[in-house]
Amino acid sequence: MLSEIQNIANYILNSNEEIPNVVYKRSLYASVCAPIADRPFCAQNYATDLGVRIKPDPKIFFAEMRKKYIPSSIFYSNRLDIDAYRKYCESIDFSNKKICHDFDVLINYSGEWESASDIAKNNDYGTTSRVGLYA
């Protein structure tokens, strides 16, 4: 799912269509592992809430953006396979920056609070404390 979301962000960034600035900037932040605190106002940060005040804004924005700018041939499942994600985490050089970026993409770009919650509940990496510390 994360790779699908990042594929959508990369499609926007490489599109020859005229893309609104806010769509471009939000996609840019989803495509690179940048500090969450450095984001512009048009790409708000909801990660510090850690699900306490879930906002539907990113999910609505992402759905509307996909309808308008993403061809139906680009697949999006909107469900994270937590076991696959766990295996992925075990196979890479896992870092605070990477987990924060994954949360950033899930929460701030695609509005997938439930998937972010699944990661936080089903790992041994101290996810919520890392995101709270680096968000």
Side-chain angles (χ1 to χ4, degrees), residues 34-76:
I36 295 172
D38 292 343
R39 68 180 49 259
F41 183 71
C42 66
Q44 293 183 359
N45 177 18
Y46 298 102
T48 55
D49 289 349
L50 294 176
V52 175
R53 295 186 319 246
I54 295 174
K55 304 284 187 192
D57 309 17
K59 191 169 203 141
I60 293 167
F61 185 89
F62 188 67
E64 293 302 315
M65 180 193 69
R66 284 193 344 262
K67 281 185 212 171
K68 186 162 184 167
Y69 300 108
I70 305 298
S72 59
S73 61
I74 296 181
F75 181 74
Y76 177 65

Short mmCIF file of all heavy atoms in Angstrom, two decimals, residues 34-76:
data_model
loop_
_atom_site.label_atom_id
_atom_site.label_comp_id
_atom_site.label_asym_id
_atom_site.label_seq_id
_atom_site.Cartn_x
_atom_site.Cartn_y
_atom_site.Cartn_z
N ALA A 34 11.49 13.54 3.88
CA ALA A 34 11.87 14.87 4.40
C ALA A 34 11.31 15.06 5.79
O ALA A 34 10.31 14.44 6.15
CB ALA A 34 11.32 15.95 3.47
N PRO A 35 11.93 15.91 6.59
CA PRO A 35 11.41 16.16 7.94
C PRO A 35 9.99 16.70 7.90
O PRO A 35 9.68 17.60 7.13
CB PRO A 35 12.37 17.21 8.50
CG PRO A 35 13.59 17.12 7.66
CD PRO A 35 13.15 16.66 6.30
N ILE A 36 9.13 16.12 8.70
CA ILE A 36 7.73 16.52 8.73
C ILE A 36 7.60 17.99 9.12
O ILE A 36 6.77 18.72 8.59
CB ILE A 36 6.93 15.62 9.69
CG1 ILE A 36 6.92 14.19 9.17
CG2 ILE A 36 5.51 16.12 9.88
CD1 ILE A 36 6.33 13.18 10.13
N ALA A 37 8.45 18.45 10.01
CA ALA A 37 8.36 19.82 10.51
C ALA A 37 8.64 20.87 9.43
O ALA A 37 8.26 22.02 9.58
CB ALA A 37 9.34 20.01 11.67
N ASP A 38 9.27 20.48 8.31
CA ASP A 38 9.63 21.43 7.26
C ASP A 38 8.55 21.61 6.20
O ASP A 38 8.78 22.28 5.21
CB ASP A 38 10.91 20.97 6.55
CG ASP A 38 12.12 21.05 7.47
OD1 ASP A 38 12.04 21.74 8.50
OD2 ASP A 38 13.13 20.41 7.15
N ARG A 39 7.40 21.04 6.41
CA ARG A 39 6.38 21.09 5.36
C ARG A 39 5.73 22.46 5.24
O ARG A 39 5.61 23.18 6.23
CB ARG A 39 5.32 20.02 5.59
CG ARG A 39 4.45 20.21 6.77
CD ARG A 39 3.40 19.13 6.98
NE ARG A 39 3.95 17.80 6.90
CZ ARG A 39 3.85 17.03 5.81
NH1 ARG A 39 3.19 17.44 4.76
NH2 ARG A 39 4.40 15.85 5.79
N PRO A 40 5.28 22.81 4.02
CA PRO A 40 4.58 24.08 3.83
C PRO A 40 3.15 23.99 4.37
O PRO A 40 2.63 22.91 4.61
CB PRO A 40 4.59 24.26 2.32
CG PRO A 40 4.65 22.88 1.78
CD PRO A 40 5.45 22.08 2.77
N PHE A 41 2.50 25.13 4.53
CA PHE A 41 1.15 25.17 5.08
C PHE A 41 0.16 24.35 4.25
O PHE A 41 -0.77 23.76 4.79
CB PHE A 41 0.68 26.63 5.17
CG PHE A 41 -0.69 26.76 5.78
CD1 PHE A 41 -0.88 26.53 7.14
CD2 PHE A 41 -1.78 27.09 5.01
CE1 PHE A 41 -2.13 26.64 7.71
CE2 PHE A 41 -3.05 27.20 5.57
CZ PHE A 41 -3.22 26.97 6.92
N CYS A 42 0.36 24.29 2.94
CA CYS A 42 -0.59 23.56 2.07
C CYS A 42 -0.49 22.05 2.26
O CYS A 42 -1.34 21.31 1.77
CB CYS A 42 -0.38 23.92 0.61
SG CYS A 42 1.20 23.39 -0.06
N ALA A 43 0.51 21.58 2.96
CA ALA A 43 0.67 20.15 3.24
C ALA A 43 0.74 19.98 4.76
O ALA A 43 1.78 19.72 5.33
CB ALA A 43 1.92 19.61 2.57
N GLN A 44 -0.39 20.15 5.40
CA GLN A 44 -0.42 20.18 6.86
C GLN A 44 0.05 18.88 7.49
O GLN A 44 -0.02 17.81 6.90
CB GLN A 44 -1.83 20.50 7.34
CG GLN A 44 -2.25 21.89 6.99
CD GLN A 44 -3.63 22.21 7.53
OE1 GLN A 44 -4.27 21.40 8.14
NE2 GLN A 44 -4.07 23.42 7.27
N ASN A 45 0.50 19.00 8.73
CA ASN A 45 0.99 17.85 9.49
C ASN A 45 -0.03 17.47 10.56
O ASN A 45 -0.28 18.23 11.47
CB ASN A 45 2.33 18.20 10.15
CG ASN A 45 2.85 17.08 11.01
OD1 ASN A 45 2.42 15.94 10.90
ND2 ASN A 45 3.79 17.39 11.88
N TYR A 46 -0.61 16.29 10.41
CA TYR A 46 -1.55 15.77 11.40
C TYR A 46 -0.90 14.69 12.26
O TYR A 46 -1.52 14.16 13.16
CB TYR A 46 -2.78 15.17 10.72
CG TYR A 46 -3.57 16.18 9.92
CD1 TYR A 46 -3.47 16.23 8.53
CD2 TYR A 46 -4.41 17.10 10.55
CE1 TYR A 46 -4.18 17.16 7.81
CE2 TYR A 46 -5.12 18.03 9.82
CZ TYR A 46 -5.01 18.05 8.45
OH TYR A 46 -5.72 18.97 7.73
N ALA A 47 0.35 14.34 11.98
CA ALA A 47 0.99 13.22 12.66
C ALA A 47 1.19 13.44 14.14
O ALA A 47 1.19 12.49 14.90
CB ALA A 47 2.34 12.91 12.00
N THR A 48 1.33 14.66 14.58
CA THR A 48 1.54 14.89 16.01
C THR A 48 0.29 14.56 16.82
O THR A 48 0.37 14.37 18.03
CB THR A 48 1.96 16.34 16.28
OG1 THR A 48 0.98 17.20 15.70
CG2 THR A 48 3.32 16.63 15.70
N ASP A 49 -0.86 14.47 16.18
CA ASP A 49 -2.09 14.09 16.88
C ASP A 49 -2.08 12.60 17.22
O ASP A 49 -2.76 12.19 18.15
CB ASP A 49 -3.31 14.36 16.02
CG ASP A 49 -3.58 15.84 15.88
OD1 ASP A 49 -2.95 16.64 16.60
OD2 ASP A 49 -4.40 16.19 15.05
N LEU A 50 -1.36 11.80 16.49
CA LEU A 50 -1.30 10.34 16.70
C LEU A 50 -2.68 9.72 16.85
O LEU A 50 -2.89 8.82 17.63
CB LEU A 50 -0.43 10.02 17.92
CG LEU A 50 1.05 10.39 17.76
CD1 LEU A 50 1.80 10.12 19.06
CD2 LEU A 50 1.67 9.64 16.61
N GLY A 51 -3.61 10.20 16.06
CA GLY A 51 -4.93 9.59 16.03
C GLY A 51 -5.90 10.11 17.07
O GLY A 51 -7.03 9.69 17.12
N VAL A 52 -5.48 11.03 17.91
CA VAL A 52 -6.37 11.56 18.95
C VAL A 52 -7.50 12.38 18.32
O VAL A 52 -8.65 12.25 18.69
CB VAL A 52 -5.59 12.40 19.98
CG1 VAL A 52 -6.52 13.05 20.98
CG2 VAL A 52 -4.57 11.53 20.68
N ARG A 53 -7.14 13.20 17.36
CA ARG A 53 -8.14 14.00 16.63
C ARG A 53 -8.02 13.68 15.15
O ARG A 53 -7.39 14.41 14.39
CB ARG A 53 -7.90 15.48 16.87
CG ARG A 53 -8.12 15.91 18.30
CD ARG A 53 -8.00 17.43 18.44
NE ARG A 53 -6.91 17.98 17.65
CZ ARG A 53 -5.83 18.55 18.15
NH1 ARG A 53 -5.68 18.64 19.44
NH2 ARG A 53 -4.90 19.04 17.37
N ILE A 54 -8.60 12.60 14.73
CA ILE A 54 -8.52 12.18 13.33
C ILE A 54 -9.23 13.20 12.46
O ILE A 54 -10.37 13.57 12.72
CB ILE A 54 -9.13 10.78 13.14
CG1 ILE A 54 -8.31 9.75 13.91
CG2 ILE A 54 -9.23 10.43 11.66
CD1 ILE A 54 -8.90 8.37 13.91
N LYS A 55 -8.53 13.66 11.44
CA LYS A 55 -9.09 14.62 10.49
C LYS A 55 -9.33 13.92 9.16
O LYS A 55 -8.45 13.23 8.65
CB LYS A 55 -8.11 15.78 10.26
CG LYS A 55 -7.70 16.50 11.52
CD LYS A 55 -8.79 17.40 11.99
CE LYS A 55 -8.25 18.23 13.16
NZ LYS A 55 -9.24 18.93 13.86
N PRO A 56 -10.51 14.10 8.57
CA PRO A 56 -10.78 13.46 7.28
C PRO A 56 -10.16 14.20 6.09
O PRO A 56 -10.14 13.68 4.98
CB PRO A 56 -12.31 13.50 7.20
CG PRO A 56 -12.69 14.71 7.99
CD PRO A 56 -11.67 14.80 9.10
N ASP A 57 -9.63 15.39 6.31
CA ASP A 57 -9.14 16.23 5.21
C ASP A 57 -8.17 15.52 4.27
O ASP A 57 -8.35 15.57 3.05
CB ASP A 57 -8.49 17.51 5.74
CG ASP A 57 -9.35 18.26 6.73
OD1 ASP A 57 -10.30 17.67 7.27
OD2 ASP A 57 -9.05 19.43 6.98
N PRO A 58 -7.10 14.88 4.78
CA PRO A 58 -6.15 14.26 3.85
C PRO A 58 -6.79 13.14 3.01
O PRO A 58 -6.50 13.02 1.82
CB PRO A 58 -5.06 13.70 4.75
CG PRO A 58 -5.21 14.38 6.05
CD PRO A 58 -6.63 14.77 6.16
N LYS A 59 -7.66 12.35 3.60
CA LYS A 59 -8.29 11.25 2.88
C LYS A 59 -9.19 11.79 1.77
O LYS A 59 -9.20 11.27 0.65
CB LYS A 59 -9.07 10.36 3.84
CG LYS A 59 -9.51 9.08 3.21
CD LYS A 59 -10.05 8.12 4.25
CE LYS A 59 -9.95 6.72 3.71
NZ LYS A 59 -9.56 5.76 4.69
N ILE A 60 -9.96 12.82 2.08
CA ILE A 60 -10.83 13.44 1.08
C ILE A 60 -9.99 14.04 -0.04
O ILE A 60 -10.27 13.84 -1.23
CB ILE A 60 -11.73 14.51 1.73
CG1 ILE A 60 -12.71 13.85 2.69
CG2 ILE A 60 -12.46 15.33 0.67
CD1 ILE A 60 -13.43 14.82 3.62
N PHE A 61 -8.95 14.78 0.32
CA PHE A 61 -8.08 15.40 -0.67
C PHE A 61 -7.46 14.33 -1.58
O PHE A 61 -7.44 14.46 -2.80
CB PHE A 61 -6.98 16.21 0.02
CG PHE A 61 -6.10 16.97 -0.93
CD1 PHE A 61 -6.44 18.25 -1.31
CD2 PHE A 61 -4.95 16.40 -1.44
CE1 PHE A 61 -5.65 18.96 -2.20
CE2 PHE A 61 -4.16 17.09 -2.33
CZ PHE A 61 -4.51 18.38 -2.71
N PHE A 62 -6.94 13.25 -0.97
CA PHE A 62 -6.29 12.18 -1.72
C PHE A 62 -7.28 11.51 -2.68
O PHE A 62 -6.95 11.25 -3.84
CB PHE A 62 -5.69 11.16 -0.75
CG PHE A 62 -4.83 10.12 -1.38
CD1 PHE A 62 -3.62 10.46 -1.96
CD2 PHE A 62 -5.20 8.79 -1.37
CE1 PHE A 62 -2.80 9.50 -2.53
CE2 PHE A 62 -4.39 7.82 -1.94
CZ PHE A 62 -3.19 8.17 -2.52
N ALA A 63 -8.49 11.23 -2.21
CA ALA A 63 -9.50 10.58 -3.06
C ALA A 63 -9.87 11.48 -4.24
O ALA A 63 -9.96 11.01 -5.39
CB ALA A 63 -10.74 10.24 -2.23
N GLU A 64 -10.08 12.76 -3.98
CA GLU A 64 -10.44 13.68 -5.06
C GLU A 64 -9.28 13.88 -6.04
O GLU A 64 -9.49 13.98 -7.24
CB GLU A 64 -10.90 15.03 -4.48
CG GLU A 64 -12.20 14.94 -3.71
CD GLU A 64 -13.35 14.41 -4.55
OE1 GLU A 64 -13.51 14.85 -5.71
OE2 GLU A 64 -14.09 13.55 -4.04
N MET A 65 -8.07 13.93 -5.50
CA MET A 65 -6.89 14.06 -6.36
C MET A 65 -6.77 12.85 -7.29
O MET A 65 -6.50 12.98 -8.47
CB MET A 65 -5.63 14.21 -5.50
CG MET A 65 -4.36 14.34 -6.31
SD MET A 65 -2.89 14.14 -5.29
CE MET A 65 -2.99 12.41 -4.88
N ARG A 66 -6.99 11.65 -6.73
CA ARG A 66 -6.91 10.43 -7.55
C ARG A 66 -7.97 10.44 -8.64
O ARG A 66 -7.69 10.09 -9.78
CB ARG A 66 -7.08 9.18 -6.68
CG ARG A 66 -5.84 8.85 -5.88
CD ARG A 66 -5.85 7.46 -5.25
NE ARG A 66 -7.11 6.79 -5.15
CZ ARG A 66 -7.89 6.75 -4.08
NH1 ARG A 66 -7.54 7.38 -2.97
NH2 ARG A 66 -9.02 6.07 -4.09
N LYS A 67 -9.18 10.86 -8.30
CA LYS A 67 -10.26 10.92 -9.30
C LYS A 67 -9.89 11.85 -10.46
O LYS A 67 -10.14 11.54 -11.62
CB LYS A 67 -11.55 11.44 -8.67
CG LYS A 67 -12.31 10.42 -7.89
CD LYS A 67 -13.63 11.06 -7.45
CE LYS A 67 -14.07 10.51 -6.13
NZ LYS A 67 -15.22 11.23 -5.57
N LYS A 68 -9.30 12.98 -10.12
CA LYS A 68 -9.05 14.00 -11.14
C LYS A 68 -7.76 13.79 -11.93
O LYS A 68 -7.73 14.07 -13.14
CB LYS A 68 -9.03 15.38 -10.48
CG LYS A 68 -8.93 16.50 -11.48
CD LYS A 68 -9.34 17.81 -10.91
CE LYS A 68 -9.29 18.85 -12.01
NZ LYS A 68 -9.94 20.07 -11.67
N TYR A 69 -6.69 13.31 -11.28
CA TYR A 69 -5.38 13.31 -11.93
C TYR A 69 -4.75 11.93 -12.15
O TYR A 69 -3.74 11.85 -12.84
CB TYR A 69 -4.39 14.17 -11.12
CG TYR A 69 -4.84 15.59 -10.98
CD1 TYR A 69 -5.31 16.07 -9.76
CD2 TYR A 69 -4.82 16.46 -12.07
CE1 TYR A 69 -5.74 17.38 -9.63
CE2 TYR A 69 -5.26 17.76 -11.95
CZ TYR A 69 -5.72 18.22 -10.73
OH TYR A 69 -6.15 19.51 -10.62
N ILE A 70 -5.31 10.89 -11.56
CA ILE A 70 -4.67 9.58 -11.63
C ILE A 70 -5.50 8.64 -12.50
O ILE A 70 -6.70 8.44 -12.23
CB ILE A 70 -4.50 8.98 -10.22
CG1 ILE A 70 -3.73 9.94 -9.31
CG2 ILE A 70 -3.83 7.62 -10.27
CD1 ILE A 70 -2.33 10.27 -9.74
N PRO A 71 -4.90 8.04 -13.53
CA PRO A 71 -5.67 7.09 -14.35
C PRO A 71 -6.07 5.86 -13.55
O PRO A 71 -5.39 5.46 -12.61
CB PRO A 71 -4.69 6.72 -15.47
CG PRO A 71 -3.37 7.23 -15.09
CD PRO A 71 -3.53 8.19 -13.97
N SER A 72 -7.19 5.26 -13.91
CA SER A 72 -7.70 4.10 -13.18
C SER A 72 -6.77 2.90 -13.28
O SER A 72 -6.87 1.97 -12.49
CB SER A 72 -9.10 3.72 -13.68
OG SER A 72 -9.05 3.44 -15.06
N SER A 73 -5.84 2.93 -14.24
CA SER A 73 -4.89 1.82 -14.38
C SER A 73 -3.86 1.78 -13.25
O SER A 73 -3.20 0.77 -13.04
CB SER A 73 -4.18 1.90 -15.73
OG SER A 73 -3.46 3.12 -15.81
N ILE A 74 -3.72 2.87 -12.50
CA ILE A 74 -2.79 2.89 -11.36
C ILE A 74 -3.55 2.39 -10.13
O ILE A 74 -4.48 3.03 -9.65
CB ILE A 74 -2.21 4.30 -11.12
CG1 ILE A 74 -1.37 4.70 -12.33
CG2 ILE A 74 -1.36 4.33 -9.85
CD1 ILE A 74 -0.71 6.04 -12.23
N PHE A 75 -3.16 1.23 -9.67
CA PHE A 75 -3.87 0.52 -8.60
C PHE A 75 -3.65 1.16 -7.24
O PHE A 75 -2.56 1.60 -6.92
CB PHE A 75 -3.41 -0.94 -8.57
CG PHE A 75 -4.10 -1.77 -7.53
CD1 PHE A 75 -5.41 -2.17 -7.70
CD2 PHE A 75 -3.43 -2.14 -6.38
CE1 PHE A 75 -6.05 -2.92 -6.75
CE2 PHE A 75 -4.06 -2.90 -5.40
CZ PHE A 75 -5.38 -3.29 -5.59
N TYR A 76 -4.73 1.17 -6.44
CA TYR A 76 -4.64 1.62 -5.05
C TYR A 76 -5.59 0.76 -4.21
O TYR A 76 -6.79 0.75 -4.45
CB TYR A 76 -5.01 3.10 -4.93
CG TYR A 76 -5.00 3.58 -3.50
CD1 TYR A 76 -3.81 3.60 -2.79
CD2 TYR A 76 -6.16 3.99 -2.87
CE1 TYR A 76 -3.77 4.03 -1.47
CE2 TYR A 76 -6.13 4.43 -1.55
CZ TYR A 76 -4.94 4.45 -0.87
OH TYR A 76 -4.92 4.86 0.43
#
